[in-house]
Amino acid sequence: MARLELSLPQNAAGEFFVDRSCIDCDTCRQVAPAVFARSEEVEQSFVHRQPAGDEERTRALMALVACPTSSIGTAHKTDARPGVRRFPEHIAENVYYCGFASERSFGASSYLILRPEGNVLVDSPRAAGPLVERIGELGGVKLMFLSHRDDVADHARFHQRFGCERVIHRLEGIDVERRLEGDETIPLAEGLTAIPVPGHTRGSVALLYRDTFLFTGDHLWWSERTGALHASRAVCWYDWDLQTRSMERLLDFRFEWVLPGHGRRWRAASAAVMRAELERLVRRMSDGGP
């Protein structure tokens, strides 16, 4: 629980605050950008403006319950249920953002795909009771796709609750029902294709859904700072040159959305625009950046 006595001095005066336990994961800034911002001075999130109106207040409550370290609080006892009820939050078509990030995955985003053939959970949120209950109401989870070892969080608890088959690459060293092998693309189910993208970790894998949505783990994301697709050498835990080749490989696939574990999600105006952005990123990576 956030502690008012540890509130950051950068916070705007008022009901909501962020305390010193913030790990700068960006969750609150993605969920409620009108309320939360990043302090370059302390490299943490803070309340740059108190919510104005009911919608901004609800989004601030969503950020409060999504925060992986419970670093957001209110000066007075507050009913957080309006924020809780918003998760999973609809993104597009039948794809949802789970919220309820886990400290064990440094606040990584996770996603739920609703499918008549059985729902898919992409990476693991925190197994918070309200979220687990809501996912159950939506049909549970048949398949749990884990992009890499950093973002597995509470995967065992979701498996225990829903009996879902968990999928991850063998090289990530996680004990699950199905471990992927090799570097070739692997059809998992109708409209679901696993694309190995080693580099960030040895066994990182992206998930392509219906040639529209690419779930990228920590391989690829959109940078608000640069206004471009991005990958970071600083958070490449295995091999940057290999990650560059894996990025180039994505040019063989059509998609319009990038939905990452860390970093911002982004929808291109078309698959052609996405490809052009990806080509620019590959060139930057090949030239030694970002």
Side-chain angles (χ1 to χ4, degrees):
M1 181 178 295
R3 297 169 59 183
L4 186 58
E5 66 270 22
L6 297 180
S7 175
L8 293 169
Q10 290 84 359
N11 290 316
E15 185 66 20
F16 285 85
F17 67 91
V18 178
D19 76 8
R20 298 179 193 275
S21 65
C22 170
I23 59 173
D24 192 28
C25 71
D26 194 38
T27 297
C28 66
R29 304 191 299 265
Q30 292 190 48
V31 172
V35 176
F36 299 96
R38 186 177 192 267
S39 168
E40 298 296 333
E41 177 185 359
V42 296
E43 297 184 340
Q44 291 176 305
S45 294
F46 70 103
V47 177
H48 78 95
R49 178 172 65 76
Q50 292 292 329
D54 291 342
E55 179 59 20
E56 286 190 6
R57 179 178 174 81
T58 296
R59 297 212 67 85
L61 290 171
M62 291 172 67
L64 185 153
V65 299
C67 176
T69 50
S70 300
S71 301
I72 301 171
T74 54
H76 303 92
K77 187 174 181 179
T78 301
D79 182 2
R81 285 178 295 181
V84 170
R85 286 193 292 263
R86 288 286 190 95
F87 291 118
E89 181 183 26
H90 183 243
I91 296 174
E93 298 183 20
N94 55 333
V95 175
Y96 293 75
Y97 165 59
C98 291
F100 289 92
S102 171
E103 186 174 11
R104 295 172 62 189
S105 61
F106 206 81
S109 296
S110 57
Y111 306 92
L112 181 68
I113 308 172
L114 300 183
R115 303 167 68 244
E117 309 92 331
N119 298 338
V120 179
L121 190 58
V122 182
D123 287 326
S124 177
R126 181 172 12 117
L131 177 64
V132 173
E133 180 180 356
R134 180 59 182 146
I135 290 175
E137 293 171 353
L138 292 170
V141 181
K142 182 177 181 180
L143 178 72
M144 189 171 193
F145 178 87
L146 300 170
S147 62
H148 67 301
R149 65 176 180 264
D150 297 343
D151 295 352
V152 300
D154 289 342
H155 71 100
R157 293 179 63 184
F158 283 96
H159 171 67
Q160 182 179 27
R161 170 64 177 81
F162 296 113
C164 51
E165 179 186 40
R166 294 166 293 175
V167 178
I168 196 169
H169 201 283
R170 178 183 60 81
L171 293 174
E172 295 301 274
I174 305 295
D175 187 19
V176 298
E177 292 69 47
R178 182 177 180 184
R179 288 185 286 184
L180 306 177
E181 300 275 354
D183 294 329
E184 297 302 314
T185 59
I186 304 160
L188 297 178
E190 181 68 29
L192 292 168
T193 303
I195 307 171
V197 284
H200 172 70
T201 62
R202 193 178 177 192
S204 289
V205 183
L207 178 68
L208 179 63
Y209 176 53
R210 290 197 324 209
D211 294 336
T212 301
F213 302 92
L214 186 70
F215 300 89
T216 58
D218 295 345
H219 175 68
L220 170 67
W221 62 92
W222 180 261
S223 169
E224 288 286 291
R225 181 178 60 83
T226 63
L229 288 176
H230 188 73
S232 173
R233 186 191 294 267
V235 293
C236 177
W237 309 135
Y238 182 63
D239 187 306
W240 180 249
D241 290 337
L242 184 56
Q243 186 167 350
T244 301
R245 294 196 295 273
S246 294
M247 198 70 71
E248 186 173 15
R249 183 186 195 188
L250 292 179
L251 293 170
D252 294 336
F253 300 91
R254 181 190 186 282
F255 55 94
E256 297 175 6
W257 279 89
V258 164
L259 297 108
H262 289 101
R264 301 295 175 96
R265 58 182 180 255
W266 182 62
R267 181 184 186 181
S270 66
V273 171
M274 179 65 78
R275 179 184 173 85
E277 289 288 344
L278 190 59
E279 287 174 338
R280 281 191 278 271
L281 174 59
V282 169
R283 286 195 295 270
R284 293 198 303 274
M285 294 175 71
S286 300
D287 290 342

